[in-house]
Structure formats: C-alpha cells, structure tokens
Amino acid sequence: MIADSPPKDEGLISFLDYIKGWLPLVWRLPAILYYRKRVANVGVENRESWGSMLEEAATKFPNNPAIKSEEACLSYREFNAAVNRCANFFISKGMAKGDVACICLENRPDLLIVYSAMAKIGAVNSMINTNLRQESLKHCLTLHPAKIYIIGEEAVDAFEEVIDALALQPDQKLYYLADKGQKSVPEGYADLKTAIKDVAADNPSTTATVTPADTIAYVFTSGTTGGMPKAAILKHGRLVRCRYLNGNVVLNLKPRDTMYVPLPFFHTNALALSWPTVFANGSAVAIRRKFSVSNFWHDVRKYDVTAWCYIGELCRYLMNQPPRPDDPDNPLIKIIGNGLRPDIWQDFKHRFGISKVYEIYGAAESNLYFVNLLNLDCTVGRCSLPYAIIKYDVDEDAAIRDERGFMQKVDVGETGLLLGEISESNPFVGYTNQQATESKILHDVFQRGDAWFNTGDLIRDIGYGHAQFVDRTGDTFRWKGENVSTTEVEAVANTLPQVSQSSVYGVKLPGGDGRAGMIAVIPGCRAEEFDLKALCRHFQRSLPSYAVPKFLRLNAAIECTATHKIKKVALKKEGFNPETVTDALYVLLPGEDEFQPLTKEVHHNILDGKYRF
C-alpha cells in the first residue's frame, strides 16, 4: 500500500498565500540575506563556537538576564563567570579537548553552567536522559565511557543502581551536584559546588581552540531504526548556525525577548533549536524542570516570555484546559517547534493570541532542516538543503523502485518518504556508531553511486517548496514528545519467561498527538496463568514511563511476512477496539499499576476522553 495522501488540492499552498507570507519580510530582507551568509560561512570564514558566543554576549550585554528560573536568575556576566569557574576547575584537573563528560541533571541553571563549561574546554557533553533506568541507562553510560561523571542529587539513585556495571577506573571521577539538599554527598563523589566556589572566573584560553567542526554533545535518540538509544553527534557549528538562522532570521530576537524552554536539555529541541537563539542579541532563556500545564501561563507572565520552543503534544495539553477570559492576555508572540497538528493549529493561535508559528522539521542526526519562515499555517516550511520525497510502500516498509531500480519522486499533493542528499557540502554526521550511521543511508537512489539519508518520516509536498509532516515509519513511534523504540520495548518484554513472542507498535488515541504504545504478546503459558501485574512491574522498572505500553493484546499467533517480519501494519489498523479484535485486550489506565481488561465501556470512555494518558 502506497503512503496515503489527501486529495491533491486539500491544504496546498496557494500562490496568493505564498506572496502574503513574504510581504512582512520585505523590510527585513537585507538583514535576512546578511545572516544567511553568516550561516553559510560557519566553519569556512567563521570559527565561532558555543563558548565564543557566550563570551561575546557577556561583553555586549553583561547586565541582560541570561537565565531565568525558580532556582536562580543570572545575568550574562554572572552566568559567564560561573561557567568560567567550572571550566577552569576541570582544566586544572586535566580535562581537555575531546574528553567526554557524562551529564545527568534535570533542567536547572547548574546544568547550563556545566554544559557551557565543557563547551569552552572543547570537551563533549554526554547528555543522559534523566528518565532512563536500568538497561537503557546502563547502555547510554557505557556507550562512550566518560572521564568525569557529573550527577545531580535528583538522578543519583538511578545512577547508583547501575554504577557497578560501569566498571569505573581510578582515573574516572564522580562529581555530585546538590539540588534540594535532602541528601548528603555520597561516598566516592566530590562535591562540585564546593570545589569550584573559589576558582578564578576569567575566560579560559581553551575557548579560542574550539572550532565549529568540534563535537559539543552526544544526544541519545532512538531515531527511526529502533534498538537501544544511539548517540547522535552535535557539533558547535550547528549551534552557531542556529543562532543566526533561528535567532536573527526566523525569530528576530531582541535584547528584551525571553525564550521559554520547559523541554529537557538532553534533547535537541532545547540544546540545538531554542537555547542558541538567545545569543543573537543577548536575550534570556527561561527554564523549568518539567513542563507543567497548570504553571505554563503563570511562567509566561512571570518571566515576560515572548518566544517559546514547543512540541505538538504540549500545545494540545494547553488546548485541553478549560478556556479562560485572560487566555490571550499574555506576552507570548512567537513560537518555534515541531508537531503542531493542523486540526488545532489555527484555534491554538487565536485562543492564546499567538501571531507567529515557526514550525520546523529536523532531528538530532538529520542533515535536513525545514522551517516555516513565512509563518504560513499547517506547514513545516521550506528546506534550503537538497532533499527528495519519494514513493513509499507502507505495508512493505520500503521505498518503491522503478524497473531500472531507481526511486521515484512524488507529485505535489502526495505523501512519500523524505530523504536528504549526502554530499561534501551537506554531510550526514549521523551517530557515534558507524554501523548505525550506515543503516540510515540509501544508495543508488536516483543514479548509481549517489547516497541519501533516510529520515524514516513520511512528508507531504504541499507546493512552493513547502511540506507537511505526516507520520513516522519503521520501528519507532512518538509519544509524549519522545521517540519510543519498539525493538527496545520488545527486548524488555521478551526477557520474561511468560512472554513467548511480542510485537510493539503505536496506536492513535482520539484527540491526542503521537501514538500510545501497544504490545501484542504470544504467552509462553496458558492465558489464564499470564501474570498481568508482573508484566506491568517489569515495564515500569525497566523502561522510561513514556515507553511503557498502555495497551496489551494476548494473541494466539502473530502474522508474519515470508521473510518472517511481523506484519505490524495490520496490528496498528486493528488497534484496541474490543468490538473488532477477538483476542483478549487489556489497558493500563493512568495512575494504575496493573493492566485491566479493556471492556466496551472502558473503550467508550477512552474515546470520550475520560482518561488523560
């Protein structure tokens, strides 16, 4: 089955809309062209890095707020000084360019200070997802052994559960960053706050040695190939380009602007999409530990937030709240992010008085970047890098090749698989694992010898170079703003003796974004002996909360292709409707710790939105 597309004239960009989108930008055209040139020169004439951007901002805007948070508000002078103390301390301890620092902290100023300090040294920040537990956490910690481990009070218990498996050597040091002060410094850790308190606050000389081509961070992602998390490589140059493109060109941030980031800084939306923009003109970044629906508009007004980095799920959470008379009475003007769905796009803008939505498309490992610069509705915008949208067979999970063996581009209005051309001027950096990188490359796409990055995403061409995101393919799905690897969840499930075989996939919930996890299991015991509570406990102990399946199906058999690949398309289509699925169905309702039978009544309540998954 070829990827579904709506009728060709539905939702396409018209010539009039295209021209209207350009009109507000005419007066800014000289600046846009200037900063686009700066983007092109990063790594050629421009040797800027994260540290040099921070030092420049601290010189030009010393008294401007740099960080706003519940824990502390720091000016650029104060922030840069704190970063320097941390950097100079670790330089004195032998930390050098290319060394790896494992960072396991929640969103708080300490995280931004440590990250920036390592960036000034030229070290690599290995950004650990604080939600990970057990095998996933151990995998990320051991994939690239670090010279130092900086562990927050809020994450130390999870870290201690796997520390023995790390087999740390004497030259690998542990540093502890207190948080609420409810724990004392654990044995074997150095107290980092105490250690750096009296260190010199001068800019380190190492900043000048860092180039755009140097790696600033490893960001762990499931991508679209499934399996355990992989470390995508984040370069200084990408963040410098974001400063110019998103900060100066797209958002046009000024010194009085504040960018709100309640997203975790172990993801690229925070690290590479939103935070770098504030260096364009000395704007502030406001952070929160975790996104909070009840506190969102309070924070926006408290911090005088004018820009926000969103993901679509968060927009829907805000829309699901009861309307208030003061909804549009807020300082938020422009938002940038991904996943705002067409069904709420315009209502969201109108209800909250947001005039500019800069939807983007990209990924931690991607060599493509789309941005809705023209502020048109329901599009991820345009991409200036070479790409193609090709015909794709959803059932076979494969691109369609013609009689000559080449792939075929879709027509305007059609949906297909998005590819990014790989060339010397547009490289695919990929992952730290070369095998994982190679698995994302397609060869001989349009001619012999060419190479293209397979995004694993279905995109619709809507005309005038614009596109719409449609869905993911392959062995991942997106839930709660996170990529969930189906093979990772299956691997966890299959370790239980009562599970003979399993298949994990995502299913749509009414009125929701992304897909909730569902697992089809062939029991290794009689169905009536299957321990539902044990399965749930096993998932909750071994997986991040967003990866725990919400629906369970006990199958007598799972249909496979001739090549023994499980037919997940049929399972996805059948979903969790007890009126059409003859196998036993169960659901893990919000707040519960055990799967319960999915009756017709419960199914009806789910469809009515009674439960907030």
Side-chain angles (χ1 to χ4, degrees):
M1 180 180 70
I2 297 176
D4 293 331
S5 292
K8 286 193 177 183
D9 60 347
E10 184 181 323
L12 298 185
I13 301 293
S14 70
F15 178 71
L16 183 60
D17 288 338
Y18 184 65
I19 296 301
K20 284 181 178 178
W22 272 110
L23 289 179
L25 301 179
V26 170
W27 70 275
R28 290 186 54 220
L29 209 51
I32 289 173
L33 294 175
Y34 170 76
Y35 286 113
R36 279 194 172 276
K37 185 177 180 181
R38 294 295 298 266
V39 170
N41 285 337
V42 172
V44 182
E45 301 172 4
N46 181 341
R47 285 177 56 86
E48 287 179 274
S49 66
W50 184 262
S52 69
M53 290 195 300
L54 172 55
E55 291 175 6
E56 179 187 348
T59 300
K60 288 184 176 180
F61 311 101
N63 299 316
N64 282 22
I67 299 173
K68 300 177 180 179
S69 74
E70 285 292 328
E71 291 80 10
C73 290
L74 302 175
S75 69
Y76 272 98
R77 179 192 291 114
E78 293 167 332
F79 177 49
N80 189 54
V83 170
N84 290 343
R85 280 191 286 271
C86 187
N88 289 327
F89 169 78
F90 281 112
I91 291 170
S92 73
K93 296 299 181 182
M95 201 70 179
K97 187 175 182 179
D99 289 338
V100 176
C102 170
I103 313 297
C104 199
L105 297 164
E106 289 182 352
N107 283 18
R108 50 184 172 117
D110 291 325
L111 170 58
L112 307 192
I113 290 168
V114 167
Y115 176 89
S116 299
M118 294 305 146
K120 285 195 176 192
I121 297 171
V124 181
N125 291 280
S126 184
M127 304 299 288
I128 304 299
N129 184 333
T130 52
N131 295 311
L132 297 181
R133 296 293 183 270
Q134 297 294 331
E135 291 303 315
S136 296
L137 177 59
K138 183 167 60 178
H139 169 80
C140 292
L141 291 170
T142 56
L143 191 59
H144 299 284
K147 187 169 184 176
I148 60 172
Y149 294 78
I150 301 176
I151 312 299
E153 178 182 334
E154 66 274 30
V156 74
D157 288 343
F159 182 78
E160 283 291 311
E161 287 181 0
V162 300
I163 192 170
D164 290 343
L166 304 184
L168 297 179
Q169 301 302 305
D171 60 341
Q172 292 177 286
K173 303 300 182 184
L174 300 176
Y175 292 90
Y176 179 79
L177 264 173
D179 185 13
K180 307 296 185 184
Q182 297 173 347
K183 294 185 174 75
S184 57
V185 179
E187 185 178 353
Y189 294 74
D191 183 346
L192 186 56
K193 285 189 177 180
T194 301
I196 67 175
K197 185 176 60 173
D198 297 322
V199 176
D202 300 328
N203 289 330
S205 60
T206 53
T207 304
T209 69
V210 183
T211 73
D214 290 326
T215 299
I216 188 172
Y218 296 145
V219 181
F220 292 88
T221 172
S222 294
T224 54
T225 55
M228 295 294 277
K230 295 173 287 295
I233 301 170
L234 199 60
K235 303 277 190 179
H236 282 262
R238 177 170 172 179
L239 307 188
V240 176
R241 285 188 286 271
C242 176
R243 166 202 175 163
Y244 291 122
L245 180 58
N246 289 336
N248 292 103
V249 175
V250 180
L251 293 168
N252 191 28
L253 293 183
K254 302 301 182 186
R256 69 161 298 276
D257 282 311
T258 294
M259 166 65 75
Y260 185 46
V261 186
L263 298 170
F265 278 83
F266 48 74
H267 279 186
T268 50
N269 273 48
L271 281 182
L273 176 61
S274 52
W275 189 16
T277 64
V278 304
F279 293 105
N281 274 303
S283 306
V285 60
I287 64 175
R288 171 173 276 278
R289 292 293 182 107
K290 295 179 181 178
F291 175 80
S292 167
V293 174
S294 59
N295 287 293
F296 181 86
W297 294 112
H298 169 77
D299 284 355
V300 166
R301 296 180 178 101
K302 174 183 177 180
Y303 297 127
D304 197 21
V305 168
T306 55
W308 170 44
C309 180
Y310 69 88
I311 56 175
E313 291 89 343
L314 307 188
C315 297
R316 195 175 293 277
Y317 295 159
L318 294 172
M319 284 293 288
N320 287 340
Q321 297 302 296
R324 293 169 52 97
D326 64 348
D327 277 342
D329 183 19
N330 66 78
L332 187 58
I333 301 169
K334 45 202 170 188
I335 63 176
I336 188 169
N338 60 284
L340 180 56
R341 306 302 288 178
D343 62 310
I344 67 167
W345 187 299
Q346 293 185 4
D347 289 341
F348 185 80
K349 287 174 62 178
H350 295 153
R351 174 174 168 180
F352 298 113
I354 296 167
S355 59
K356 297 168 184 171
V357 177
Y358 298 113
E359 177 88 357
I360 66 101
Y361 170 85
E365 71 277 25
S366 180
N367 67 343
L368 295 177
Y369 181 69
F370 287 74
V371 61
N372 183 25
L373 175 62
L374 303 188
N375 189 30
L376 301 175
D377 288 334
C378 304
T379 173
V380 299
R382 296 171 57 92
C383 179
S384 61
L385 301 166
Y387 71 92
I389 306 174
I390 53 103
K391 294 181 179 179
Y392 179 81
D393 189 315
V394 176
D395 284 329
E396 293 298 324
D397 190 17
I400 299 172
R401 294 184 182 261
D402 61 20
E403 64 279 358
R404 299 178 301 158
F406 296 126
M407 298 179 189
Q408 310 159 67
K409 294 182 180 180
V410 302
D411 294 327
V412 173
E414 294 182 341
T415 297
L417 179 67
L418 177 66
L419 308 180
E421 186 177 18
I422 300 172
S423 64
E424 186 175 343
S425 60
N426 190 42
F428 171 48
V429 177
Y431 311 100
T432 56
N433 182 296
Q434 189 57 36
Q435 184 177 355
T437 299
E438 287 296 327
S439 71
K440 298 304 299 286
I441 299 175
L442 296 177
H443 297 277
D444 302 332
V445 173
F446 298 115
Q447 61 184 25
R448 301 299 176 198
D450 65 3
W452 294 72
F453 164 57
N454 176 8
T455 67
D457 290 326
L458 297 177
I459 298 289
R460 184 181 180 222
D461 184 344
I462 58 174
Y464 292 98
H466 284 66
Q468 281 178 341
F469 176 81
V470 176
D471 205 353
R472 289 187 177 272
T473 66
D475 289 325
T476 63
F477 58 89
R478 195 164 179 82
W479 178 246
K480 301 294 185 183
E482 302 274 3
N483 287 339
V484 179
S485 165
T486 62
T487 52
E488 180 182 352
V489 180
E490 288 163 358
V492 168
N494 292 343
T495 60
L496 283 179
Q498 64 177 351
V499 175
S500 174
Q501 186 180 8
S502 67
S503 177
V504 176
Y505 45 97
V507 291
K508 293 288 287 183
L509 287 178
D513 291 308
R515 296 177 184 272
M518 183 165 183
I519 182 168
V521 169
I522 298 178
C525 59
R526 291 189 301 175
E528 59 270 22
E529 296 174 349
F530 194 87
D531 191 337
L532 297 171
K533 194 159 189 173
L535 179 66
C536 186
R537 281 200 308 266
H538 182 58
F539 281 147
Q540 292 173 333
R541 185 172 58 250
S542 306
L543 293 169
S545 58
Y546 59 80
V548 175
K550 301 298 182 275
F551 298 94
L552 166 66
R553 174 175 176 170
L554 294 184
N555 292 54
I558 297 178
E559 189 178 4
C560 297
T561 66
T563 55
H564 307 289
K565 186 174 182 179
I566 293 173
K567 291 186 176 181
K568 292 189 179 183
V569 174
L571 291 171
K572 291 178 187 177
K573 285 183 177 178
E574 291 171 2
F576 54 91
N577 187 348
E579 295 188 358
T580 58
V581 176
T582 56
D583 295 314
L585 291 174
Y586 301 87
V587 61
L588 180 62
L589 293 174
E592 299 293 331
D593 59 0
E594 183 177 355
F595 288 98
Q596 67 178 56
L598 205 170
T599 63
K600 292 180 181 179
E601 180 183 359
V602 172
H603 180 256
H604 180 75
N605 289 336
I606 292 172
L607 297 185
D608 280 352
K610 180 178 178 180
Y611 303 107
R612 296 289 175 85
F613 286 91

